């Protein structure tokens, strides 16, 4: 009966909903001030009924506009006559809306037999019901009403508090612009996250033990209901304006901060109408009164969409706030935390400098009323879907936004907690800070005991902002006694550096950074390490140096459990093979044998050589016949610790076979070309990661006169060999080896490629950083085919991001990351293989080389879309 009522409500609502058949959303790019003025003129033509999703403000900034069907041709003709460039973001808005409604209906049916679905959009009644559920389930969560909307709907706020009155507090609201559905949905996910993580997450627990958090998930309930029942694109409140035929006020132009100034309209029919007076909207006035009555808010955070921005005051004027330096630094740190999960990039700055001047905004008011930490988030995306973000992006958007919010909240907490509960670094006695050494005391006995555990590793992220900071980070590379493992080496200003720091070096490294004023964040906190498998825990003493065993156990526990579960039952065929787990080298080789046995007319296994420790170097050949046909080479796992690459290679192999069987995807490519796939390119290193040291990167060769074992196989190719970007120290992770092709793993590929003579594309797959790179790495000289390779990269990255929204950067190696000599694809390009590419897969640092197994298949799926673009382009442009 309830299900029938749900469907009836949805159908009934759809009968009243305004339709948008034939409406298009255009993205317009202006080149100069004159074109901006032409768009502003277009904006003033009310008869066209244009809805500017992003307003014209300055040259080069995108302008997104929804155009009714009747005005589409007129607007396009106007733009073309003025020489203004545009593209179509949404071809037919109604198609997107229909899909959104269908998803909601299907979710409503699923929720009949399961819990609340945070991955779909909900009505106001559904949201309020979930607020009741959270308040009833968690004793420290309370639902309070701070007022009523114009149409008498309650304004509900969730209060998260562990006791006390008028404690320092943080405010968070969402949905002040009603059509921005991903904000209300994200707020719900965040509310559940806060409630469920208290007591298990140290950061949230310490926050709520000392501060309160107030969350208003639907700041504009009348408008929100109207988007569900009448007009999905409604933005404003629903108040009636005396003397006007138009309804509603923009609630983010109605605050008493530069009220009525630039960036707000006095036209009641405008989307940015500021209202008859400041705080005229009861939705705004209720928040103002609550904030003032409370009197102890330390942060004011508001969620909007879209554009992927993190902004702080001011908007009503273009002068910097008094706390500009701190807010800018904190904003950048929060944006870095956001980016760490999926690579989603947020631009940071003041409202006026980042988008445009806008008066009467909420965070300008909160800042002017003494709430220093006032930030506005603009969530996903950057325009592909705009306000109509698909429901499958709700949880990813919420997760990454939460990391940014949490970073700000932690900063606020640290500023307002009593000093005795914080870690403080001080000289002890008459000792002094010198170089990278510092003596320090900890005021908290509990923290001291925790930090005294042996071998607790952390992964730090540093983003150098100037040359001095970059130099300080580079100095750490030279200090071998610290035993640092640079997961991402210093590359340039504004680019992240990730460092795994053993416990004995942890405080020295932090002190070095802090003494130099270099900001850092902790990507992986409280990492406990153990020895080789079966050797037990603890640290090992080698001579006079403390050598921490290499495996970060805390993060690997789940990885190991998944591998054990997967290995308990040997797969009988490739259909029952577990593609969502990491596997040993023997299990991968067994998979190859099964695949060949199942597909003898398509797949063969070639042995192209032997590794240093005499393991076979296997390549899978996918071919429908013929000899020495044009071919595409793909390899994975040249750096052994990058497990997601070998796992993706296994998935690719199965995908190729399935495409051929179903006559789809690459099936047509296999009619004329072969695909060669080397899944375990560095088998000795890979075996070593599973038996001894999970963080091992190099080969396992031993060269005469060398103190340390192994060579970086991606610095060993004969392309700028031994030049900048590779190390001559055998103990370095980037040691280039005694001479080019010294490693049999490299030499075997070199010989095979030369012997074959007809390989047209060469793709080498690494992790992590979410990059697609082409040559060169050893020289700044652009390759002759740079324009074509750049265009192919752009198309490949667009295809990749179309699946889950994962963002990749692309470009030449040397301009995108750093100089690196002796690399694979530089050699292949110099051998005449034009389409030479390197992928750096997920993520951007949250897990680094320890990507959870549940991300294997999504990573492989999205990467495959990009590979397919490259392979198809190669087929269509044989040379």
């Amino acid at each position: 009966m309830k299900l029938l009522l749900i469907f009836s409500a949805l159908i009934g609502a759809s009968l009243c909903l305004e339709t948008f058949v034939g409406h298009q959303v255009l993205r317009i790019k202006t080149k100069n001030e004159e074109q901006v003025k032409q768009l502003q003129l277009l904006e003033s033509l009310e008869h066209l009924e244009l809805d500017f999703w992003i307003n014209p403000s300055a040259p080069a900034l995108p302008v997104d506009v929804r155009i009714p069907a009747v005005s589409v041709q007129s607007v396009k003709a106007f733009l073309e006559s003025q020489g203004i460039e545009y593209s179509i973001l949404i071809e037919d808005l109604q198609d997107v809306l229909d899909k959104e409604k269908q998803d909601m209906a299907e979710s409503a049916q699923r929720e009949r037999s399961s819990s609340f679905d945070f991955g779909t959009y909900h009505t106001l009644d559904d949201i309020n019901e979930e607020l009741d559920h959270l308040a009833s389930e968690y004793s420290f969560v309370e639902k309070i009403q701070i007022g009523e909307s114009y149409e008498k709907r309650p304004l509900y706020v969730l209060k998260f508090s562990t006791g006390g009155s008028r404690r320092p507090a943080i405010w968070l609201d969402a949905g002040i612009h009603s059509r921005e559905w991903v904000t209300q949905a994200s707020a719900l996910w965040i509310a559940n996250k806060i409630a469920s993580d208290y007591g298990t997450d140290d950061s949230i627990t310490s926050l709520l033990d000392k501060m309160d958090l107030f969350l208003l998930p639907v700041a504009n309930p009348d408008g929100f209901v109207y988007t569900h029942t009448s007009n999905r694109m409604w933005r404003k409140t629903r108040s009636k304006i005396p003397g006007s035929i138009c309804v509603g006020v923009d609630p983010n132009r109605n605050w008493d901060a530069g009220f009525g100034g630039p960036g707000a309209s006095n036209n009641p029919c405008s989307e940015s109408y500021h209202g008859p007076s400041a705080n005229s909207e009861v939705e705004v006035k209720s928040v103002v009164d609550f904030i003032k009555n409370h009197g102890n808010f330390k942060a004011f955070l508001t969620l909007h969409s879209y554009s992927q921005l993190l902004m702080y005051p001011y908007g009503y004027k273009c002068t910097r706030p008094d706390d500009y330096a701190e807010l800018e630094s904190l904003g950048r740190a929060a944006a870095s935390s956001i980016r760490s999960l999926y690579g989603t990039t947020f631009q940071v700055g003041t409202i006026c400098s980042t988008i445009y001047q806008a008066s009467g905004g909420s965070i300008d008011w909160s800042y002017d009323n003494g709430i220093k930490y006032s930030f506005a988030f603009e969530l996903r995306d950057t325009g592909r879907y705009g306000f109509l973000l698909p429901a499958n992006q709700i949880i990813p958007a919420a997760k990454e936004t939460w990391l940014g919010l949490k970073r700000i909240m932690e900063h606020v907490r640290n500023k307002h907690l009593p000093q005795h509960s914080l870690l403080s670094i001080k000289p002890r006695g008459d000792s002094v800070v010198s170089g990278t050494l510092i003596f320090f005391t900890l005021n908290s006995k509990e923290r001291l005991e925790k930090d005294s555990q042996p071998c607790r590793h952390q992964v730090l992220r540093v983003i150098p902002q100037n040359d001095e900071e970059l130099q300080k980070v580079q100095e750490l590379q030279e200090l071998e006694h610290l035993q640092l493992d640079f997961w991402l080496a210093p590359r340039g200003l504004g680019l992240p550096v990730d460092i795994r720091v053993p416990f004995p070096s942890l405080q020295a490294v932090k002190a070095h950074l802090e003494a130099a004023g270099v900001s850092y964040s902790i990507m992986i906190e409280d990492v406990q390490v153990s020895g080789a498998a079966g050797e037990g825990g603890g640290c090992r003493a080698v001579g006079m140096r403390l050598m921490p065993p290499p495996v970060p156990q805390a993060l690997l526990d789940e990885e190991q459990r998944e591998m054990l579960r997967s290995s308990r039952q040997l797969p009988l065929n490739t259909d029952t093979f577990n593609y969502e787990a990491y596997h040993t080298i023997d299990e991968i080789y067994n998979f190859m044998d099964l695949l060949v046995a199942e597909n003898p007319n398509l797949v063969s296994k070639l042995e192209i050589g032997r590794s240093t420790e005499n393991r076979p170097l296997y390549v899978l050949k996918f071919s429908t016949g013929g000899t020495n046909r044009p071919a595409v080479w793909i390899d994975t796992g040249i750096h052994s610790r990058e497990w997601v690459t070998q796992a993706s290679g296994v998935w690719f192999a199965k995908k190729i076979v399935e495409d051929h069987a179903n006559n789809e995807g690459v099936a047509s490519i296999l009619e004329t070309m072969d695909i060669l796939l080397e899944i375990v390119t560095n088998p000795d290193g890979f075996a070593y990661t599973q038996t001894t040291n999970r963080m091992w990167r190099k080969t396992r060769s031993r060269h005469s006169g060398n103190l340390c074992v192994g060579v970086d196989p991606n610095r060993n190719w004969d392309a700028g060999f031994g030049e900048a970007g590779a190390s001559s120290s055998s103990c370095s992770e980037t040691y280039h080896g005694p001479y080019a092709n010294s490693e049999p793993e490299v030499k075997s590929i070199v010989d095979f490629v030369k012997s074959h003579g007809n390989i047209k594309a060469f793709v080498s797959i690494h992790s992590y950083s979410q990059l697609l790179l082409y040559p060169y790495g050893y020289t700044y000289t652009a390759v002759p085919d740079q324009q074509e390779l750049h265009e192919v990269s752009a198309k490949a990255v667009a295809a990749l991001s179309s699946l889950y929204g994962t963002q990749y950067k692309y470009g030449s190696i040397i301009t995108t990351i750093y100089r690196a000599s002796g690399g694979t694809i530089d050699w292949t390009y110099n051998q005449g293989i034009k389409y030479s590419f390197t992928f750096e897969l997920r993520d951007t640092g949250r897990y680094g080389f320890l990507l959870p197994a549940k991300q294997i298949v999504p990573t492989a799926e999205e990467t495959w879309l990009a590979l397919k673009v490259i392979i198809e382009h190669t087929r269509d442009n044989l040379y």
Side-chain angles (χ1 to χ4, degrees):
M1 183 63 184
K2 182 180 178 183
L3 183 60
L4 180 60
L5 291 173
I6 290 170
F7 279 117
S8 298
L10 288 169
I11 293 169
S14 68
L15 294 175
C16 303
L17 273 171
E18 182 178 339
T19 60
F20 295 86
V21 176
H23 288 227
Q24 290 189 345
V25 178
L26 302 188
R27 166 151 292 180
I28 304 170
K29 295 181 180 179
T30 56
K31 298 177 181 177
N32 51 51
E33 291 289 351
E34 180 57 32
Q35 290 188 346
V36 173
K37 290 178 181 177
Q38 293 297 328
L39 288 189
Q40 290 169 340
L41 171 64
L42 194 67
E43 192 177 14
S44 68
L45 302 177
E46 293 185 7
H47 68 281
L48 293 176
E49 297 185 334
L50 305 182
D51 177 12
F52 278 81
W53 289 10
I54 298 179
N55 298 89
S57 57
L61 293 179
V63 177
D64 295 349
V65 56
R66 175 177 61 83
I67 308 173
V70 295
S71 302
V72 166
Q73 294 309 318
S74 299
V75 171
K76 288 181 178 178
F78 173 82
L79 296 173
E80 291 162 5
S81 71
Q82 301 299 314
I84 300 175
E85 181 184 347
Y86 69 86
S87 58
I88 300 173
L89 288 179
I90 299 179
E91 186 76 35
D92 190 325
L93 190 64
Q94 192 59 45
D95 290 343
V96 181
L97 295 174
D98 289 344
K99 177 64 166 61
E100 188 176 67
K101 284 192 294 185
Q102 179 185 348
D103 289 344
M104 286 184 69
E106 291 173 353
S107 175
Q109 185 175 11
R110 287 195 302 271
E111 285 184 343
R112 281 275 295 158
S113 57
S114 61
S115 58
F116 188 85
D117 183 0
F118 292 98
T120 192
Y121 293 116
H122 290 277
T123 65
L124 181 64
D125 289 341
D126 291 339
I127 291 173
N128 287 338
E129 186 176 333
E130 180 59 18
L131 300 185
D132 289 333
H133 171 256
L134 288 171
S136 64
E137 184 170 351
Y138 298 97
S139 60
F140 57 92
V141 182
E142 178 186 2
K143 188 179 81 169
I144 60 177
Q145 183 176 338
I146 66 167
E148 286 185 337
S149 68
Y150 180 84
E151 294 177 347
K152 303 302 180 185
R153 292 182 173 89
L155 296 168
Y156 287 134
V157 170
L158 283 184
K159 178 183 179 181
F160 300 81
S161 179
T162 56
S165 61
R166 277 188 169 77
R167 297 197 303 175
I170 293 172
W171 174 272
L172 173 62
D173 67 57
I176 195 168
H177 286 149
S178 49
R179 64 185 173 187
E180 299 169 3
W181 281 12
V182 71
T183 67
Q184 299 95 334
S186 293
L188 271 184
W189 184 92
I190 289 166
N192 184 69
K193 178 70 171 172
I194 295 168
S196 58
D197 275 9
Y198 178 75
T200 59
D201 181 281
D202 290 343
S203 179
I204 292 302
T205 303
S206 66
L207 176 75
L208 292 183
D209 282 347
K210 297 295 182 181
M211 304 183 75
D212 294 342
L213 197 153
F214 294 86
L215 171 58
L216 174 62
V218 186
N220 178 6
D222 296 347
F224 186 58
V225 169
Y226 198 72
T227 62
H228 282 272
T229 60
S230 301
N231 180 348
R232 174 64 178 84
M233 290 295 102
W234 190 261
R235 162 188 170 101
K236 301 189 288 182
T237 63
R238 292 295 300 163
S239 59
K240 304 294 190 297
I241 312 302
S244 174
I245 60 171
C246 293
V247 173
V249 167
D250 181 343
N252 204 39
R253 300 293 187 277
N254 190 240
W255 301 70
D256 193 10
F259 177 78
S265 174
N266 59 9
N267 179 357
C269 297
S270 169
E271 292 284 11
S272 58
Y273 174 50
H274 51 55
S277 59
N279 302 341
S280 64
E281 302 311 284
V282 66
E283 296 86 354
V284 172
K285 184 67 162 58
S286 296
V287 177
V288 167
D289 291 344
F290 184 80
I291 296 288
K292 285 184 172 180
N293 288 336
H294 185 283
N296 201 16
F297 276 96
K298 304 302 181 183
F300 187 105
L301 312 172
T302 182
L303 303 184
H304 291 250
S305 76
Y306 61 100
S307 283
Q308 295 175 197
L309 308 172
L310 179 48
M311 298 177 290
Y312 51 88
Y314 285 107
Y316 73 85
K317 57 184 179 181
C318 293
T319 57
R320 291 177 173 178
D322 293 340
D323 303 290
Y324 167 78
E326 184 180 2
L327 296 179
E328 173 73 13
S329 176
L330 180 55
R332 289 184 177 275
S336 176
S337 295
I338 292 170
R339 187 170 63 248
S340 70
L341 188 57
Y342 301 113
T344 309
T345 302
F346 273 54
Q347 186 179 347
V348 178
T350 67
I351 298 169
C352 191
S353 66
T354 305
I355 46 174
Y356 43 69
Q357 196 166 359
S359 59
S362 63
I363 66 167
D364 283 359
W365 175 85
S366 61
Y367 185 81
D368 281 348
N369 277 267
I371 305 177
K372 182 201 296 189
Y373 303 110
S374 294
F375 288 93
F377 288 71
E378 293 276 357
L379 308 191
R380 293 190 182 188
D381 57 7
T382 56
R384 172 64 185 86
Y385 294 101
F387 302 121
L388 302 173
L389 196 71
N392 62 11
Q393 291 196 43
I394 292 172
I395 292 178
K399 284 182 175 179
E400 66 192 8
T401 302
W402 171 241
L403 295 181
L405 288 168
K406 189 177 174 187
R407 180 67 184 84
I408 293 171
M409 291 177 183
E410 288 169 344
H411 184 86
V412 176
R413 175 200 64 197
N414 294 343
K415 288 289 184 179
H416 293 282
L417 281 178
Q419 188 64 29
H420 65 78
S421 65
L422 294 173
L423 173 68
S424 62
I425 301 179
K426 304 176 181 177
R428 183 174 61 192
D430 57 357
S431 60
V432 295
V433 178
S434 174
T436 59
L437 287 177
I438 185 169
F439 294 100
F440 58 95
T441 60
L442 300 171
N443 290 332
S444 166
K445 182 174 183 289
E446 179 181 353
R447 178 63 65 92
L448 177 60
E449 290 171 351
K450 181 178 181 182
D451 281 0
S452 295
Q453 296 173 18
C455 307
R456 185 174 63 85
H457 288 209
Q458 287 186 349
V459 177
L460 305 184
R461 166 156 289 185
V462 184
I463 303 180
Q465 299 299 320
N466 53 52
D467 290 336
E468 291 76 15
E469 292 188 1
L470 182 61
Q471 181 181 349
K472 287 297 180 183
V473 178
Q474 289 170 334
E475 287 175 4
L476 290 173
Q477 287 183 292
E478 307 302 320
L479 303 173
E480 293 188 4
H481 68 283
L482 294 177
Q483 296 291 300
L484 305 182
D485 179 9
F486 279 78
W487 287 11
L488 289 180
R491 298 168 286 168
L493 301 184
L495 298 175
V497 179
D498 294 350
I499 318 166
R500 178 170 62 86
V501 186
F503 171 75
S505 304
L506 197 56
Q507 297 306 330
V509 170
K510 290 180 178 180
H512 173 85
L513 297 172
E514 290 164 1
V518 181
S519 298
Y520 63 86
S521 57
I522 300 173
M523 300 297 293
I524 301 177
E525 190 171 10
D526 200 14
V527 176
Q528 194 74 23
V529 298
S530 71
E535 294 178 2
C539 291
R540 296 170 293 174
V542 179
M544 295 301 293
R545 289 191 305 180
L546 190 64
M547 297 289 291
V551 185
Q553 192 63 42
L555 280 179
L556 291 180
D557 283 347
E558 182 59 29
E559 184 177 74
Q560 292 168 346
R561 281 195 295 269
E562 287 295 330
M563 289 184 70
L564 284 172
R565 280 195 291 267
S566 177
S567 63
R568 282 173 185 158
Q569 185 174 357
L570 195 66
L572 301 176
N573 53 57
T574 59
D575 290 334
T576 59
F577 188 87
N578 185 1
Y579 298 93
E580 297 179 337
Y582 292 114
H583 293 275
T584 66
I585 189 171
D586 290 338
E587 289 168 348
I588 291 175
Y589 284 173
N590 181 63
F591 163 83
M592 292 181 183
D593 291 336
L594 289 173
L595 195 72
V596 171
E598 292 167 2
N599 304 275
N601 296 322
L602 177 67
V603 190
S604 56
K605 186 176 76 171
L606 313 177
E607 183 178 328
I608 66 168
R610 290 263 165 173
S611 68
T612 295
E613 295 177 348
N614 205 35
R615 290 183 174 88
L617 299 169
Y618 288 134
V619 172
L620 290 179
K621 178 180 179 181
F622 301 84
S623 178
T624 56
T627 58
N628 217 46
R629 298 197 304 173
V632 174
W633 172 281
I634 302 170
D635 66 57
T636 59
I638 195 169
H639 286 150
S640 48
R641 65 184 174 187
E642 300 169 4
W643 281 13
V644 72
T645 67
Q646 298 97 332
S648 294
V650 170
W651 188 92
F652 297 155
K654 181 63 173 177
K655 176 64 174 172
I656 295 168
V657 167
E658 289 177 341
D659 275 8
H660 181 262
N662 297 325
N663 197 28
E664 61 185 17
V666 296
S668 61
I669 293 168
L670 290 172
E671 293 175 4
T672 56
M673 300 182 71
D674 296 342
I675 297 176
L676 301 163
L677 173 59
E678 184 175 19
I679 297 175
V680 188
T681 308
N682 178 5
D684 297 347
F686 187 54
Y688 196 72
T689 63
Q690 293 171 336
T691 60
T692 309
N693 181 348
R694 174 64 177 85
M695 290 294 103
W696 190 260
R697 163 188 168 103
K698 302 189 287 182
T699 63
R700 293 294 300 164
S701 60
R702 299 175 185 273
H703 292 283
S704 177
N706 284 353
L707 176 66
C708 296
V709 173
V711 167
D712 181 344
N714 202 39
R715 300 293 189 278
N716 190 240
W717 301 71
D718 192 10
F721 177 80
E723 296 178 10
S727 176
S728 59
S729 168
S730 65
C731 297
S732 169
E733 293 283 14
T734 58
Y735 173 49
H736 51 57
Y739 52 87
N741 303 341
S742 64
E743 305 311 284
E745 297 85 354
V746 173
K747 185 66 162 56
S748 296
I749 299 174
V750 167
D751 292 345
F752 181 85
V753 169
K754 285 183 173 180
S755 175
H756 187 284
N758 203 16
I759 293 177
K760 301 301 184 183
F762 193 107
V763 183
S764 187
I765 296 180
H766 294 246
S767 78
Y768 60 101
S769 284
Q770 297 175 193
L771 305 171
L772 178 52
L773 308 170
Y774 51 81
Y776 285 119
Y778 73 89
T779 175
Y780 282 100
T781 303
V783 295
D785 304 291
Q786 177 165 359
Q787 182 175 349
E788 183 182 3
L789 296 182
H790 199 74
E791 290 172 355
V792 173
S793 297
K795 292 177 182 177
V797 164
L800 184 152
S801 65
S802 69
L803 188 58
Y804 298 113
T806 309
Q807 300 297 307
Y808 268 54
K809 292 182 181 179
Y810 57 92
S812 69
I813 297 169
I814 200 166
T815 60
T816 307
I817 47 172
Y818 45 65
R819 191 169 188 177
S821 60
T824 312
I825 66 168
D826 283 0
W827 178 83
T828 58
Y829 185 84
N830 285 344
Q831 295 296 309
I833 304 176
K834 184 201 297 188
Y835 303 115
S836 293
F837 294 93
T838 289
F839 283 78
E840 293 278 358
L841 306 189
R842 294 189 185 186
D843 55 7
T844 57
R846 173 64 184 88
Y847 295 102
F849 302 120
L850 302 174
L851 197 71
K854 64 185 178 183
Q855 291 197 42
I856 293 172
V857 172
T859 300
E861 288 174 335
E862 66 190 9
T863 306
W864 180 249
L865 296 180
L867 283 171
K868 191 162 166 282
V869 168
I870 293 170
I871 295 171
E872 288 173 343
H873 183 87
T874 303
R875 176 199 61 193
D876 298 339
N877 295 273
L878 290 175
Y879 51 93

